Amino acid sequence: MTAETAKVTLYWLEKSRAQNTLWLLEELKIDYEIKTFRRGSDMLAPPELKEVHPLGKSPVVSITPPGSSEPIILAESGFITQYLSEHFGQGTTMMPKRWKEGQEGKIGGETEEWLRWQYMLHFVEGTFMATLIISVVAGALKSNRVPFFLRPFTSVIANQILSSFVLPRIQKQFAFLEKQLETSGGDFLCGKDLSSADVLISFGLVSAKDKIKDFGSWPDGGPEATYPKLYAYISRLESEPGYRGAIDKIKGIDSSLGIRF
């Protein structure tokens, strides 16, 4: 499948990981359409998204192959990222080279960069984002959506969840990412080049970096001092031209749409 002949549409929901997918499309330099959706007052996705995919979530990408009238519907951020990288990533750094020279198709013949990339796609989806979602749910117990007379009690429960369950896991995962950056041989998780694994993890890291200090007690200097390589990496991601371009793309469509969760 080639970018020149496939019709690609991104169904983008504000304050969602669809922003990652938008950034990836920018890095792949392919033509695409974007349809935007707002969250309701309950912060849920609108029912119109169920017309695109039964779960009614975002991101969702539709790809109509050349010569076909039936689109392929892609859902789930990790699957979308891998599919787009594999089919449209030629000539970019989004998917590292898979095989060492002369080792094509052999067990253990994969490059270190590709193995890191493949693992990171699953780490983000299976471990990292699952922890962040729990923190979001716990945070909601302290929000003004809880009746004021119940909020003191739900806040105690929320703080306990954050400090005793979420924080230890976040600290372990941030320490792991710190080590991955230390050993990658470059400025990014898989090596010297930006890959779609970096794009995929960006939304979660940017969303969490300023919030986790309130999850419980930290050594002097807080998380930024504890994980200096990781926080420097987050800053690099935020300064990437594609990252900034994806934000400008949404602002150009409707500046009132939210981007960060």
Side-chain angles (χ1 to χ4, degrees), residues 16-256:
S16 81
R17 298 174 69 204
Q19 189 65 19
N20 289 340
T21 307
L22 178 56
W23 179 12
L24 177 56
L25 289 169
E26 290 289 303
E27 292 291 340
L28 294 172
K29 296 178 172 55
I30 61 177
D31 293 330
Y32 63 91
E33 297 180 6
I34 181 169
K35 297 184 179 180
T36 60
F37 298 83
R38 292 184 182 276
R39 292 185 181 273
S41 58
D42 55 4
M43 289 303 292
L44 298 178
E48 290 82 2
L49 273 171
K50 289 184 179 178
E51 299 173 9
V52 184
H53 187 275
L55 294 181
K57 300 197 302 180
S58 177
V60 173
V61 171
S62 69
I63 303 175
T64 304
S68 174
S69 59
E70 291 296 323
I72 302 166
I73 304 297
L74 306 178
E76 300 297 341
S77 293
F79 178 43
I80 292 170
T81 299
Q82 181 158 352
Y83 193 95
L84 292 177
S85 299
E86 290 177 346
H87 285 280
F88 302 116
Q90 296 80 5
T92 76
T93 63
M94 290 300 98
M95 184 176 74
K97 178 183 176 183
R98 179 167 183 174
W99 301 107
K100 302 172 186 174
E101 293 299 328
Q103 299 295 308
E104 292 82 0
K106 296 181 179 179
I107 295 176
E110 296 89 353
T111 65
E112 174 69 19
E113 293 82 4
W114 185 87
L115 288 172
R116 281 175 175 257
W117 174 77
Q118 186 75 180
Y119 171 78
M120 281 297 165
L121 297 185
H122 293 277
F123 165 79
V124 173
E125 298 303 294
T127 300
F128 184 58
M129 288 307 302
T131 305
L132 294 188
I133 290 298
I134 295 171
S135 74
V136 171
V137 173
L141 294 174
K142 301 195 293 182
S143 72
N144 57 15
R145 283 176 280 175
V146 177
F148 74 93
F149 57 89
L150 292 176
R151 206 174 304 151
F153 304 102
T154 59
S155 294
V156 170
I157 295 171
N159 288 334
Q160 186 64 27
I161 293 171
L162 290 171
S163 63
S164 64
F165 184 85
V166 175
L167 182 58
R169 285 161 177 77
I170 286 286
Q171 289 173 327
K172 184 181 292 185
Q173 291 164 30
F174 271 32
F176 168 74
L177 292 170
E178 182 85 0
K179 189 66 175 178
Q180 291 298 297
L181 290 165
E182 182 182 319
T183 58
S184 73
D187 286 338
F188 300 99
L189 287 173
C190 302
K192 61 184 180 63
D193 296 317
L194 178 77
S195 77
S196 56
D198 302 296
V199 174
L200 182 63
I201 203 172
S202 63
F203 184 86
L205 286 176
V206 171
S207 298
K209 68 183 177 74
D210 295 327
K211 297 176 181 176
I212 63 170
K213 66 179 182 297
D214 298 323
F215 289 0
S217 60
W218 287 87
D220 291 345
E224 190 166 356
T226 306
Y227 312 109
K229 289 182 174 60
L230 180 58
Y231 272 75
Y233 165 73
I234 297 171
S235 295
R236 286 196 297 276
L237 293 181
E238 291 182 285
S239 65
E240 280 287 322
Y243 180 93
R244 302 304 312 170
I247 292 175
D248 291 341
K249 187 91 166 185
I250 295 302
K251 288 181 177 179
I253 295 171
D254 187 341
S255 60
S256 69

